[in-house]
Amino acid sequence: MAERNDRRRDGRRTALRASAPVVQAIAPAVVLHEGRKRSVQHGHPWIFSGAIARVLGDPASGSTVSVADATGAWLAHAAWSPVSQIRARVWSADAAQTIDSTFFHERIARAAATRAPWLDDAHTGARLVHGEADGLPGVIADRYGDV
């Protein structure tokens, strides 16, 4: 908890007291209800609408939001979906990870490389990206022939 030092109206200082932690979001953020951080911490990629206490900012559908626990501690980067029961899908629980085109390129390339041995002249169709299994929740990509 943050400590603050207030002054009374007459200018005299009051005793130090604890104040509630505040999430200061530069980008849009989702704050979870008390006790709802465990699934995110254990690697579950979905955050359901009932787990969300409040949304800071006005994130557009599909935009990346920060996810914080009830105390304001950062938990993850996630894709926002304001109309789905699954309101956020976790991209990464690494605070240092930047969610950009490089992030998606690397994850998609890794997923495609994993399935490449299954493709040959006789087998030209396959699911290359399996959403959550490839660290891209909600993303599905199929290959049919040369497409």
Side-chain angles (χ1 to χ4, degrees):
M1 285 194 169
E3 293 285 322
R4 69 180 194 199
N5 191 350
D6 290 337
R7 291 186 179 267
R8 298 184 338 190
R9 274 191 186 161
D10 62 8
R12 292 187 303 183
R13 290 180 186 243
T14 61
L16 289 176
R17 62 182 173 155
S19 63
V22 177
V23 174
Q24 296 179 350
I26 295 171
V30 171
V31 181
L32 303 181
H33 285 292
E34 183 70 36
R36 295 298 186 101
K37 68 181 180 179
R38 189 175 20 230
S39 65
V40 175
Q41 289 175 320
H42 289 180
H44 195 285
W46 296 350
I47 299 171
F48 290 94
S49 60
I52 298 173
R54 64 187 180 281
V55 178
L56 305 176
D58 186 23
S61 183
S63 65
T64 298
V65 297
S66 292
V67 179
D69 69 11
T71 69
W74 187 90
L75 296 171
H77 299 291
W80 175 247
S81 179
V83 296
S84 172
Q85 286 299 311
I86 303 171
R87 292 289 161 88
R89 295 172 189 262
V90 175
W91 295 127
S92 175
D94 177 0
Q97 178 73 60
T98 301
I99 309 303
D100 58 7
S101 60
T102 300
F103 169 85
F104 290 103
H105 182 269
E106 288 171 356
R107 295 236 173 146
I108 292 168
R110 184 175 59 216
T114 299
R115 279 106 188 159
W118 304 339
L119 298 171
D120 58 26
D121 291 340
H123 304 92
T124 60
R127 176 146 292 163
L128 298 179
V129 178
H130 285 264
E132 289 78 3
D134 290 316
L136 293 166
V139 178
I140 301 296
D142 296 331
R143 175 183 169 185
Y144 299 104
D146 293 335
V147 179

